[in-house]
Amino acid sequence: MKVHVILVRTETSGNIGSAARALANMGGERLILIEPRCNLDDSAAMMAAGATEKLKSSKTYPSWSDFYRQEGDGLRIAFSRRGGRKRKVLPFSDILAEIAEPQNIYLIFGPEKDGLDSSDLAFVNFTCHLPVYGEMASLNLAQAVLLALFMLRQRWPPSTKPQQLTSQSAESVQPFYFPDELIKKWLEAMGFDVSARRSSAYLTLKRLLLQNLPTRHEIQVLEAILNQNIRKLNSTVLAAKEITDNSGDISSKNI
């Protein structure tokens, strides 16, 4: 299993350095930065201490869309304490106990002040919270990274012989893909208004699919089903329109 830590819009370089050190402590793979709001300066290097290689090899993406175009499939777990009527925030320990070991796992952490927002959580599989037993409910960003990695490694310790990707398996890793636009197109063909801010049909379907961790093959099967259904719906609409038009022509001739 390859463990990656994603820091989103991080504001303090020292937290990035500390996260790199935590990643090295726990046998993690890569540190990924999305739209960072600070530079990797001396403070970051100082907090990384002996883990400067993790810091130097970190990957930066200017946006989520760039991330999804480049990164492969994997389990994406975001950390937040802000739940909502349509956003379940589950204990991280519960998720670890229920899921099978993934090939890639991405642990996602938001900025220090505001945390992750709804756009950050659009394509995650689970939103989780970490255990806190004192009166202070929020954790420092770097502490949260270390705690999450520790809990993950207690569940799945690193292999004594790290698995190396062969050239064949490396080529087979494809960027993450989710048929978001196709689902919207299908719902619109069914008569749903997906432009509504709280389109429950669309959001519910997306949540169900992401939380059930579909494989690439399952997504391809879903795409085939949706495309076939869209074609059938469109042909039905065209046939009904032709009948209506023909009826109008016959009526006008009778007049």
Side-chain angles (χ1 to χ4, degrees):
M1 178 177 66
K2 294 183 180 294
V3 182
H4 315 284
V5 167
I6 300 177
L7 302 183
V8 183
R9 299 187 300 280
T10 310
E11 299 170 351
T12 306
S13 62
N15 279 331
I16 297 177
S18 294
R21 185 169 183 173
L23 202 63
N25 289 149
M26 297 297 163
E29 188 72 15
R30 288 183 306 148
L31 180 64
I32 299 170
L33 309 176
I34 295 181
E35 204 181 339
R37 293 178 175 174
C38 60
N39 297 317
L40 298 183
D41 55 16
D42 291 342
S43 177
M46 181 179 70
M47 296 305 292
T52 50
E53 284 306 311
K54 288 289 184 190
L55 194 61
K56 289 177 182 177
S57 63
S58 63
K59 178 70 175 178
T60 299
Y61 292 106
S63 68
W64 276 114
S65 57
D66 292 289
F67 168 82
Y68 285 120
R69 275 197 294 269
Q70 296 295 322
E71 293 291 326
D73 289 327
L75 178 67
R76 294 169 302 284
I77 298 180
F79 291 88
S80 174
R81 282 198 166 268
R82 292 204 301 266
R85 189 169 62 88
K86 294 184 178 180
R87 184 198 298 174
K88 288 184 184 177
V89 179
L90 306 167
F92 186 41
S93 55
D94 288 0
I95 297 300
L96 291 176
E98 291 179 9
I99 60 176
E101 182 178 352
Q103 181 179 356
N104 280 289
I105 185 167
Y106 296 91
L107 304 180
I108 306 167
F109 301 85
E112 293 89 336
K113 290 181 181 177
D114 304 321
L116 298 168
D117 61 28
S118 56
S119 63
D120 300 318
L121 302 174
F123 292 103
V124 304
N125 299 106
F126 300 101
T127 304
C128 296
H129 65 78
L130 294 165
V132 174
Y133 300 102
E135 60 184 23
M136 175 66 75
S138 62
L139 290 164
N140 167 268
L141 174 58
Q143 291 175 330
V145 172
L146 181 59
L147 178 56
L149 287 168
F150 173 74
M151 292 174 68
L152 182 74
R153 284 312 189 189
Q154 283 208 311
R155 174 71 171 88
W156 295 305
S159 170
T160 53
K161 294 181 179 180
Q163 182 181 2
Q164 297 296 323
L165 287 175
T166 64
S167 58
Q168 182 179 2
S169 61
E171 289 173 1
S172 68
V173 175
Q174 299 294 321
F176 168 73
Y177 173 70
F178 183 79
D180 197 49
E181 293 304 315
L182 183 58
I183 289 173
K184 290 179 181 178
K185 185 178 178 182
W186 174 69
L187 286 171
E188 286 173 340
M190 294 281 288
F192 289 92
D193 179 11
V194 297
S195 64
R197 186 173 179 181
R198 299 192 177 187
S199 176
S200 60
Y202 163 67
L203 294 174
T204 300
L205 270 177
K206 187 165 75 167
R207 195 161 52 243
L208 283 172
L209 287 168
L210 287 170
Q211 290 187 1
N212 282 285
L213 309 178
T215 64
R216 182 165 292 275
H217 174 69
E218 289 169 339
I219 289 290
Q220 289 170 345
V221 171
L222 175 64
E223 284 183 305
I225 292 170
L226 294 180
N227 277 316
Q228 176 69 2
N229 194 237
I230 290 169
R231 284 192 293 270
K232 291 285 187 182
L233 288 167
N234 288 340
S235 64
T236 302
V237 170
L238 285 173
K241 186 176 184 301
E242 286 178 6
I243 292 171
T244 302
D245 291 344
N246 290 336
S247 298
D249 291 342
I250 292 170
S251 297
S252 61
K253 287 178 182 177
N254 290 336
I255 293 171

